[in-house]
Amino acid sequence: MSTPSSTPSPIPARPRRFLRNLTAVLAAVVVLVSTGTLNIEWNELPQMPEQVWHYLYLMFSDPDWSKLARALAEMWRSIAMAWLGAILCVVVSVPLGMCAAGDVGPAWLRSLLRFVFAVIRAFPEVVIAIILLTVTGLTPFTGALALGISGIGQQAKWTYEAIESTPSGTSEAVRAAGGTTAEVVRWALWPQIAPSIASFALYRFEINIRTSAVLGIVGAGGIGSMLANYTNYRQWDTVGMLLIVVVVATMIVDLISGALRRRIMKGAHTRVVASDN
């Protein structure tokens, strides 16, 4: 018997590490340059844990609960501001996001809308609120507008990405039956993306709850304005009480919103009951 001659397997090429090493070096240079331009007082860093503990003790050792009623009212104002901003965001962003999706709007409209959404996402909520302050004044409505406008860019992006990730079979069937683009959106796309859009809207509401406290610092009203005022006057016992209210209220909203999002995405849990034969 003749055995086939074994041919030696080719040796794999040595991986090139130049690009990886160059990326690591550039990242290290960026970190060093960024650290050097911050004017950090390195000799004060060892004292930071002691200072943090000192202020935490001033805030939470004996919180001042005498202003709890007002804090709850301002917290409710922040929640209302966040909810109004979330509704405004959904009403505007969902139709625009649909027009920006592939196979829905024309190419020139998709490019224009996606550019606008990217520009909106580049502006933080605080910057939008400062711009709106010159028009609407120091009111909670300014905060609601800032939250709504800021959320449009992200919510619209979620919308057209949800549309583009759906299977195309239903849309093709509606088009094959002679359906227009509007009918494709209504009968093919919307039933598939509605749960995701509702889940995204609730998630955006959770984000607005946290952001509303920051907007109050620039005068948009709510619990943030009260927190900024008492921080400026260094009334740490009241600041501690306000932080407790913010944390508890945010956790409650997150629990409720999370349960609703799970119910929307997964549906109600069905219970199988065994029947006696």
Side-chain angles (χ1 to χ4, degrees):
M1 296 179 59
S2 61
T3 59
S5 60
S6 59
T7 59
S9 58
I11 300 176
R14 185 176 183 179
R16 297 180 179 180
R17 300 181 179 180
F18 175 75
L19 183 60
R20 185 179 63 181
N21 295 336
L22 179 62
T23 304
V25 170
L26 291 177
V29 170
V30 171
V31 171
L32 292 175
V33 172
S34 302
T35 306
T37 56
L38 290 178
N39 296 326
I40 300 176
E41 299 293 339
W42 297 102
N43 57 345
E44 296 181 359
L45 289 180
Q47 304 174 4
M48 288 186 61
E50 181 181 357
Q51 294 177 359
V52 171
W53 173 256
H54 172 70
Y55 285 106
L56 288 176
Y57 178 81
L58 293 178
M59 288 187 288
F60 299 111
S61 62
D62 186 18
D64 183 9
W65 299 101
S66 61
K67 300 178 179 62
L68 178 61
R70 182 188 170 194
L72 293 176
E74 294 296 333
M75 189 68 226
W76 172 253
R77 183 174 296 180
S78 295
I79 294 175
M81 184 168 58
W83 180 248
L84 182 60
I87 293 176
L88 175 64
C89 169
V90 171
V91 169
V92 177
S93 63
V94 171
L96 294 180
M98 288 181 174
C99 294
D103 297 333
V104 176
W108 66 268
L109 182 60
R110 295 198 304 267
S111 301
L112 177 61
L113 288 176
R114 295 190 183 195
F115 174 76
V116 173
F117 299 152
V119 171
I120 293 176
R121 290 196 302 271
F123 284 90
E125 292 86 350
V126 176
V127 176
I128 297 176
I130 293 175
I131 296 174
L132 293 175
L133 284 176
T134 60
V135 180
T136 57
L138 299 174
T139 62
F141 183 65
T142 301
L145 281 179
L147 293 173
I149 295 174
S150 176
I152 289 174
Q154 188 64 56
Q155 185 75 30
K157 180 179 174 64
W158 289 336
T159 300
Y160 69 73
E161 286 183 348
I163 291 176
E164 293 175 350
S165 63
T166 56
S168 59
T170 308
S171 302
E172 294 176 355
V174 175
R175 291 188 185 276
T180 62
T181 301
E183 291 171 339
V184 170
V185 172
R186 171 63 184 87
W187 302 109
L189 296 178
W190 178 251
Q192 298 183 75
I193 68 170
S196 298
I197 295 300
S199 177
F200 291 152
L202 288 173
Y203 181 62
R204 185 65 208 182
F205 172 60
E206 296 177 15
I207 297 176
N208 288 353
I209 291 291
R210 303 178 182 91
T211 311
S212 61
V214 179
L215 292 182
I217 298 178
V218 298
I223 193 72
S225 296
M226 189 176 179
L227 185 61
N229 292 334
Y230 284 100
T231 302
N232 292 333
Y233 287 106
R234 297 184 177 275
Q235 298 185 16
W236 303 116
D237 51 354
T238 305
V239 171
M241 181 271 297
L242 294 175
L243 291 177
I244 293 174
V245 170
V246 171
V247 171
V248 172
T250 303
M251 292 178 63
I252 293 175
V253 171
D254 284 351
L255 289 175
I256 297 174
S257 178
L260 290 175
R261 284 191 288 111
R262 286 190 298 271
R263 177 67 177 269
I264 291 171
M265 297 302 296
K266 298 181 180 180
H269 295 286
T270 57
R271 183 174 58 183
V272 179
V273 180
S275 59
D276 298 333
N277 295 328

